Amino acid sequence: MRLSEVVARFDEVLSPDEFADVDASPNGLQVGPDEAEVETVVFAVDGATATFEKAIELDADLFVTHHGLIWGGLDRITGNEYDRIAPLIENDIALYASHLPLDGNQKYGNAAGVADHLGLGSREPFGSVGPVHIGQYGEFESGKTSEEIRDALDELEGNDGTQVLDFGPDEISSVAIITGSGTDWLDEAVERGADALVTGEGKQQAYHEAREAGISIFLAGHYATETFGVKNLQSLADEWELETEYVSHPTGL
């Protein structure tokens, strides 16, 4: 399949243009020629030297990642930036990145994947960033205890143990999800009436804010909450009859 066709198909699913004004990452094709043939696609959460080296071993034509290489523009391609980008160019590997679009996609995104894993129903967009959403809200058919939710999150790839700020009700019926670093949306979760917020990592002030608001926070790991999106994109590429591989490289964070 031609590179332009693969990119167009991912863009159609993820609508990166809708996030152009709110995302520091330029979503879409970040590195690559205007055109090339794609047979093998490698997927990973992070675009970094360790995962690029594995993509080279797998003879990838395209690398698809959640965290790409460009954040707010590149003034110079030197030092670490050069060291990361050079292997892609030298080995003719294109790089496609999807940051916030892959967090918030209501079917294939990271938050949707966490909601699927937890078994949430009555789902709707959550986590507003300007005109778009980067998370998901849902409700359990029957309430869950904090221990049950924690145990489910502990099953996520790369999870080293979920930290719980257990300030909400004993029975949790509704959950707001922002993957990665999401405690900035705690107020929105409280306004929505959620019993708990599930995210990856937190900030110091979130402890007191959650305690005072009477809402629980589950910190399941930045990496661990953001594996679903790229895996779902891999499933799409499988349907397009491309050869695919997923590279697991947990960070413990």
Side-chain angles (χ1 to χ4, degrees), residues 126-202:
F126 172 81
S128 59
V129 181
V132 296
H133 293 85
I134 59 171
Q136 200 165 87
Y137 168 92
E139 298 177 354
F140 293 115
E141 185 174 337
S142 298
K144 304 285 187 180
T145 65
S146 291
E147 290 76 15
E148 289 174 318
I149 296 172
R150 181 201 62 207
D151 290 347
L153 293 171
D154 282 348
E155 297 172 355
L156 301 182
E157 176 197 335
N159 181 298
D160 287 338
T162 302
Q163 184 178 2
V164 184
L165 303 181
D166 198 2
F167 300 128
D170 293 337
E171 184 175 271
I172 294 173
S173 298
S174 54
V175 177
I177 302 170
I178 296 282
T179 60
S181 180
T183 54
D184 286 345
W185 285 267
L186 181 61
D187 285 346
E188 185 177 337
V190 172
E191 292 172 5
R192 182 63 186 79
D195 296 325
L197 172 69
V198 171
T199 187
E201 59 183 279

Side-chain angles (χ1 to χ4, degrees), residues 24-32 65 67-71 94-98:
S25 173
N27 296 293
L29 190 65
Q30 288 192 348
V31 178
T65 186
H67 298 130
L69 290 180
I70 302 173
W71 302 91
L95 173 67
Y96 184 98
S98 184

Side-chain angles (χ1 to χ4, degrees), residues 8-36:
R9 291 189 182 194
F10 282 138
D11 284 351
E12 183 177 3
V13 170
L14 297 165
S15 303
D17 289 346
E18 295 180 9
F19 295 79
D21 294 334
V22 299
D23 198 345
S25 173
N27 296 293
L29 190 65
Q30 288 192 348
V31 178
D34 291 333
E35 198 55 276

Side-chain angles (χ1 to χ4, degrees), residues 183-238:
T183 54
D184 286 345
W185 285 267
L186 181 61
D187 285 346
E188 185 177 337
V190 172
E191 292 172 5
R192 182 63 186 79
D195 296 325
L197 172 69
V198 171
T199 187
E201 59 183 279
K203 296 180 179 179
Q204 169 69 14
Q205 66 267 28
Y207 172 93
H208 293 289
E209 293 172 353
R211 186 173 184 273
E212 292 159 7
I215 184 173
S216 293
I217 300 179
F218 294 82
L219 306 173
H222 196 128
Y223 180 95
T225 58
E226 296 195 330
T227 64
F228 292 98
V230 288
K231 289 179 179 179
N232 286 335
L233 295 185
Q234 180 185 13
S235 295
L236 286 176
D238 288 337

